Amino acid sequence: MSYGKIKAIDIQHFKLPLEANMGDALHGLHDHFELVTATVTMDNGQTGTGYTYTGGSGGSSITSLLKDDLVPALIGKELNSAEELTDFMNTKIHYVARGGIASFAISTIDIALWDVILRIDKKPLANVFGKGADKVRTYYGGIDLLFTLDELKANVQKQIKNGHTAIKIKLGKADEKEDLARVKAIRELIGPDAMFLVDANMVWSVEQAIRMAKAMEQYNITWLEEPTNPDDYDGYARIGQATTIPISMGENLHSVYEHTLGMEIGRVKEPIVDASNLCGITGCFRTAKVAEKYSLRVSTHGMQELHVNILGALENRAYLEFHSFPIYEYTINPIQVVDGYVATSKEIGVGVNFDWDKLAPFLV
């Protein structure tokens, strides 16, 4: 079925403020994040909007790649499926930009194309494969390594009051004992059975990760995320074999191929997808299919206002990260956490409708 031909694509780049003191072991302090949007207009008048985000750098490069290379190549193209045009975009710039920034740029367009298709088909994203889930289990993902222990505990208590029943904290302090003290304190704070995840943001060696994982086994950890460099698939396998804690990664894998290696070679038990950097919704659905082969469920990183609907469509869904980059606050009818769950959108399209007036002051 043809959904029409692409008439125009409008690209916008925003820099949005963050609360003070957000930091992790690899990236340091975050004081802003970036949002890049793409609004596709078809020759039949239908529009759709997609987006990606960054931790504060790279937005200009993504915007340039979109405006200079992808948008001109797409104008006049017939839309039969998002997958077809996403494959076209990958082929178009494959030689100079496979993965990385290319995947961020392609994601922006892919999500917009899905929005167009779902609006024409009059379907919500969560129901794209039939009746999807009405709600998805979520956890709060704090960017909190720079917090003092007292600040960390206060933030966790705040998130529990906000409706969260599962918590993730950052690790990667210079002193391993300080990391372990933070884990112990938060486990005691939230109770022995609450879902509790930890994230080292890639900074440990394999040997250190094994040592830290063994030390944390007593704290009933749901998963240890990105303990070492995600390119070291053999290292991930070694870590996973050495501990009872499930190992997770995926936010820094920017192709289905890389995710496949993570599951096949790295033996990752908790794969994480991110539509902002995996060639959009298409990449997430394709990675979820790979995960099915290994009897694994997929979770998501960031973009909770979109990912709740992607996960809602999947049978092998796991958990929705409620990220500290508050993109959802710049949407109409922002999502809410209720007793540890977020409801999927019943609106046709991808379920993310930006408040452009609220975004306007931050346009680059």
Side-chain angles (χ1 to χ4, degrees):
M1 171 181 175
S2 173
Y3 293 91
K5 292 183 178 180
I6 296 174
K7 180 180 179 181
I9 304 176
D10 179 51
I11 307 298
Q12 297 189 81
H13 177 201
F14 304 89
K15 289 189 177 181
L16 303 168
L18 285 169
E19 295 179 4
N21 214 25
M22 283 192 180
D24 63 45
L26 182 71
H27 306 97
L29 180 67
H30 295 273
D31 59 9
H32 73 282
F33 70 102
E34 298 176 291
L35 180 71
V36 179
T37 65
T39 298
V40 172
T41 301
M42 307 299 294
D43 61 358
N44 55 24
Q46 182 62 61
T47 64
T49 297
Y51 65 108
T52 189
Y53 73 98
T54 82
S57 62
S60 296
S61 298
I62 294 167
T63 300
S64 294
L65 185 57
L66 284 163
K67 290 183 175 181
D68 296 342
D69 293 290
L70 293 181
V71 169
L74 288 166
I75 299 301
K77 283 285 185 183
E78 190 162 8
L79 173 59
N80 297 305
S81 71
E83 295 93 337
E84 178 184 320
L85 289 186
T86 290
D87 288 342
F88 165 77
M89 288 187 283
N90 264 306
T91 301
K92 176 71 178 176
I93 56 176
H94 181 277
Y95 184 63
V96 294
R98 186 170 73 86
I101 285 176
S103 291
F104 282 81
I106 292 168
S107 295
T108 311
I109 302 289
D110 177 87
I111 295 165
L113 297 176
W114 275 97
D115 200 34
V116 167
I117 289 168
L118 290 164
R119 289 177 186 275
I120 292 175
D121 286 346
K122 301 188 184 307
K123 287 183 179 180
L125 176 55
N127 292 349
V128 68
F129 302 127
K131 180 65 172 69
D134 291 326
K135 61 183 182 179
V136 176
R137 183 81 162 93
T138 190
Y139 69 87
Y140 174 74
I143 304 179
D144 49 27
L145 190 67
L146 302 183
F147 288 3
T148 66
L149 183 54
D150 286 342
E151 289 173 333
L152 177 63
K153 291 165 69 175
N155 188 51
V156 169
Q157 289 173 322
K158 173 185 174 183
Q159 301 310 326
I160 291 172
K161 289 180 181 178
N162 287 343
H164 289 283
T165 58
I167 299 292
K168 184 175 78 178
I169 67 170
K170 299 291 189 184
L171 301 180
K173 291 284 189 181
D175 185 348
E176 293 179 5
K177 292 180 181 178
E178 188 174 355
D179 271 341
L180 294 173
R182 292 162 80 89
V183 171
K184 181 176 185 292
I186 299 306
R187 172 47 81 196
E188 290 175 349
L189 177 64
I190 64 178
D193 300 320
M195 184 174 159
F196 183 28
L197 314 89
V198 295
D199 182 354
N201 283 109
M202 308 179 282
V203 298
W204 293 335
S205 66
V206 172
E207 291 71 23
Q208 185 181 14
I210 291 171
R211 182 169 64 248
M212 290 295 288
K214 286 182 174 295
M216 290 188 289
E217 287 177 348
Q218 61 183 304
Y219 297 115
N220 187 21
I221 303 298
T222 303
W223 75 51
L224 167 58
E225 186 171 338
E226 287 196 326
T228 196
N229 188 323
D231 294 329
D232 186 359
Y233 300 113
D234 288 328
Y236 271 81
R238 287 174 55 201
I239 296 166
Q241 291 165 352
T243 178
T244 59
I245 298 175
I247 304 302
S248 170
M249 77 161 169
E251 70 184 69
N252 284 289
L253 304 180
H254 298 156
S255 69
V256 178
Y257 172 70
E258 292 171 19
H259 275 278
T260 301
L261 294 179
M263 288 179 261
E264 185 176 288
I265 300 174
R267 307 295 178 90
V268 171
K269 298 302 182 187
E270 300 284 352
I272 295 174
V273 298
D274 187 338
S276 77
N277 61 28
L278 188 54
C279 296
I281 295 168
T282 295
C284 288
F285 284 161
R286 287 175 171 173
T287 301
K289 280 291 185 184
V290 175
E292 282 183 348
K293 297 178 182 178
Y294 296 94
S295 300
L296 299 175
R297 300 186 302 161
V298 295
S299 297
T300 56
H301 167 256
M303 296 180 81
Q304 52 265 31
E305 64 289 330
L306 173 67
H307 285 146
V308 63
N309 302 317
I310 292 176
L311 288 176
L314 296 174
E315 290 188 5
N316 62 329
R317 77 185 71 89
Y319 306 116
L320 171 77
E321 181 183 40
F322 203 95
H323 198 269
S324 296
F325 290 177
I327 300 172
Y328 69 97
E329 291 183 355
Y330 297 89
T331 65
I332 298 169
N333 299 321
I335 60 172
Q336 295 181 331
V337 181
V338 179
D339 296 330
Y341 286 82
V342 175
T344 54
S345 174
K346 302 302 183 288
E347 295 186 28
I348 63 171
V350 300
V352 180
N353 298 295
F354 287 110
D355 185 336
W356 298 107
D357 290 337
K358 192 170 184 179
L359 281 170
F362 306 105
L363 182 65
V364 175

